[in-house]
Amino acid sequence: MTITYPDPFKIVVTDPGVYAPQHDSRLLIEALQKTNLAPGRHVLDLCTGSGVVAVAAAQLGALSVTAIDICPRAVRCARANAASAGVRVNVEMGSLTDEPARGSFDVVLGNPPYVPTGPEAAGTEKIPLETGPAWAWNAGDDGRLVLDPLCAAAPGLLTDGGTMLIVQSEFSGVEQSLRDLRSRGLCAEILMWQWVPFGPVLSARAQWLERVGRLEERRREEELVVIRADKAT
Ligand SMILES: C[S@@+](CC[C@H](N)C(=O)[O-])C[C@H]1O[C@@H](n2cnc3c(N)ncnc32)[C@H](O)[C@@H]1O
């Protein structure tokens, strides 16, 4: 018998202080569905925001779901969304760099901030409030401010045989993530990718990216990828 669950995108609500689920959130959830990794597993959702990915993991049959975020507003929002969805998610406030102390997980999911942050971020950008707070996307000049510690933490977070799925943009060093994860003994590959139109943040940074030679003129689409990293048994 196939059980169908309500689309977490239709359940989850956010406020201007929390990242509104977008293409990256949906791609990560699709990857979780495609790989069928959730059923019966202990899942950790890093950078949970509204909790949309954590809710999906619980709906897909995870044995337990832990979700963390550095932002207290996101923590409250994710708790409320899990309650509305009628699923159990243990939402805690914390940084992913605290995680190694928390034990090991069969599945680790992450949609971290990964947007390169140019000089416009200093205050001249016009980004609609509903997009969420700057700390949900700003990730330093190379977009790796959170991705680097996330890759470094991966082996310590995963059980033997465990899997991490992370989503990131082409603009934040996909090859670097793959190299980093492999150098830590994980088997890493690109699992899924999708071209999506620029959202409000990249639109505001497009001219800077063009100026510094990281974007072809007039291109206004980015490639998102989901990386799968497996720890040996
Ligand atoms: C791109 S949003 C993703 C939200 C949600 N997982 C989704 O897919 O829609 C990134 C989230 O990471 C959180 N965050 C930023 N730095 C963090 C860190 N060092 N540790 C944990 N969470 C972090 C932000 O508060 C934000 O909620």
Side-chain angles (χ1 to χ4, degrees), residues 144 148 151-152 155 175-188 229-230:
R144 300 199 57 85
D148 281 340
C151 292
E175 282 303 319
Q176 204 169 330
S177 297
L178 291 169
R179 265 198 312 275
D180 190 343
L181 292 162
R182 288 171 187 155
S183 75
R184 296 172 194 282
L186 301 182
C187 180
D230 292 294

Side-chain angles (χ1 to χ4, degrees), residues 5 77 91 93-94 111 125 127 138 148 150 155 163 168 170 175-176 179 191 221 228 233:
Y5 295 98
C77 181
V91 188
M93 194 166 82
N111 180 8
E125 287 180 329
I127 296 170
N138 277 350
D148 281 340
L150 199 161
T163 302
Q168 70 169 94
E170 61 171 310
E175 282 303 319
Q176 204 169 330
R179 265 198 312 275
L191 178 71
E221 281 185 314
R228 172 179 182 148
T233 49

